[in-house]
Amino acid sequence: MYHLIGDIHGHADALQRLLKTLGYSKQKGVYRHPERRVIFLGDFIDRGPKIKETLEIVRPMIDSGAALAVMGNHELNALAFHTPHPEKPGSHLKPHNEKNSNQHAETMRQVPAGELNSYLNWFRTLPLWLDLDGLRVVHACWDEPMSEHVKDRAVTGDFLIAACLEGGELFGPVETLLKGKEAKLPAGVTITDKDGHERSATRIKWFEDPTGHTYGSYSMEPVQCDLKLPQAVLDEAVPYPVDAKPVFIGHYWMRGAKPALLAPNVACVDWSVAKGGFLCAYRWDGEQELDAAKFVGPA
């Protein structure tokens, strides 16, 4: 059985407290549990005050088999940030503009260059999703057709070019799996994201049937718009089946004092530790129908 732990973003102290609350103890430098393993949902880096320390906890757990993990969009972003653009000398797959540089700045400040290079190579070994006996894990969105495009593809330089450059053959599939699905907002409607950037599209509840929804009710983010969804959004929707394996996700910066399920078989374990929230886990015991009482928050 597993403990699913959401986005850490360099909050090593919160991670250590949560691991101890869950019954893990350090054995020969690695946190272990007598009966369980952790599955990390990715996004180990950026933002937080102890990124190096976070990596020094999670990597030995994963490498030793005490934990599993999937790649988060911040690990992918880091790989793209440090990979040269094949057609633009001096540029990179993720441009070093102000927004991208600010997002990655704490990681580069806290992790020495040589160590960061080792971690970047390690990020390449992280799978984009896990389909295990009884449960599924992906950073942002479970989408089988999209995952088929990426299946069995190693995260090489060619993979990163195809996945990180808009128009590349893997750009859409990887964006969906690691960043989720979005819907373009009506003309004149925008939202401001957690970092203060204005956006004209919103992350949507891909696991729900959009029939009868408005933009506001179908969004994963606060959207003040009561207009009904257009037919194009309805036609593209593939709601997660109610009888499918439970799926665990991170990524969405959920808010509230107490974690809640997104659906009877969908749980998000990202409760915004890097934005005034808390690090969250779910204690999975093999159940098909998830139980909100099994979320574990701060000690």
Side-chain angles (χ1 to χ4, degrees):
M1 298 298 115
Y2 302 103
H3 290 116
L4 291 295
I5 295 181
D7 308 30
I8 304 164
H9 284 300
H11 285 74
D13 291 346
L15 175 58
Q16 289 177 308
R17 288 194 298 269
L18 182 58
L19 288 171
K20 290 175 182 177
T21 297
L22 295 172
Y24 291 77
S25 60
K26 239 179 182 180
Q27 302 172 32
K28 297 182 179 179
V30 179
Y31 280 96
R32 297 183 181 275
H33 192 279
E35 300 173 345
R36 293 176 178 264
R37 288 197 288 174
V38 166
I39 302 179
F40 291 110
L41 272 291
D43 278 8
F44 304 123
I45 61 171
D46 297 339
R47 303 186 188 280
K50 292 189 176 182
I51 295 167
K52 183 174 182 287
E53 292 86 344
T54 296
L55 293 170
E56 290 171 344
I57 294 170
V58 300
R59 183 174 179 176
M61 289 182 70
I62 295 163
D63 288 351
S64 69
L68 302 172
V70 294
M71 184 185 294
N73 63 299
H74 279 257
E75 283 74 52
L76 179 73
N77 288 345
L79 289 169
F81 192 89
H82 294 279
T83 300
H85 194 293
E87 299 174 358
K88 297 180 180 179
S91 187
H92 294 77
L93 296 182
K94 195 165 187 67
H96 291 192
N97 56 31
E98 183 179 5
K99 176 184 174 183
N100 296 337
S101 296
N102 286 343
Q103 186 179 80
H104 194 48
E106 281 301 313
T107 298
M108 291 193 295
R109 185 182 71 81
Q110 296 178 36
V111 184
E115 292 182 41
L116 181 55
N117 187 60
S118 174
Y119 283 117
L120 290 170
N121 288 329
W122 179 68
F123 292 164
R124 291 172 181 258
T125 70
L126 299 175
L128 272 66
W129 75 91
L130 293 170
D131 193 350
L132 304 173
D133 185 16
L135 80 164
R136 291 165 169 165
V137 183
V138 67
H139 185 66
C141 175
W142 187 267
D143 187 298
E144 291 195 36
M146 292 296 184
S147 65
E148 282 298 316
H149 287 285
V150 189
K151 190 175 183 179
D152 300 326
R153 294 282 297 266
V155 184
T156 61
D158 288 342
F159 176 98
L160 292 171
I161 291 169
C164 298
L165 292 182
E166 196 163 351
E169 64 168 311
L170 299 180
F171 182 81
V174 172
E175 285 277 303
T176 297
L177 297 170
L178 269 60
K179 299 181 183 180
K181 296 181 180 181
E182 293 190 339
K184 185 174 176 58
L185 292 167
V189 178
T190 61
I191 59 173
T192 302
D193 68 16
K194 62 189 176 302
D195 295 318
H197 302 120
E198 191 174 57
R199 295 183 14 236
S200 59
T202 184
R203 295 168 176 170
I204 57 173
K205 297 176 181 176
W206 51 268
F207 45 87
E208 286 190 10
D209 182 346
T211 304
H213 272 288
T214 65
Y215 281 96
S217 65
Y218 195 49
S219 174
M220 292 286 289
E221 304 164 285
V223 174
Q224 302 301 317
C225 183
D226 292 330
L227 294 175
K228 288 188 176 181
L229 296 168
Q231 191 62 41
V233 173
L234 303 182
D235 291 342
E236 291 176 2
V238 185
Y240 192 68
V242 295
D243 59 349
K245 294 179 188 180
V247 59
F248 292 88
I249 57 175
H251 187 61
Y252 289 100
W253 297 86
M254 304 299 291
R255 292 290 188 176
K258 187 175 181 181
L261 298 172
L262 298 177
N265 60 344
V266 182
C268 181
V269 285
D270 177 12
W271 284 77
S272 305
V273 67
K275 286 287 183 179
F278 52 88
L279 193 62
C280 176
Y282 182 96
R283 186 182 72 254
W284 187 71
D285 292 305
E287 65 272 15
Q288 164 68 30
E289 183 172 338
L290 301 178
D291 181 355
K294 291 191 172 185
F295 282 109
V296 181

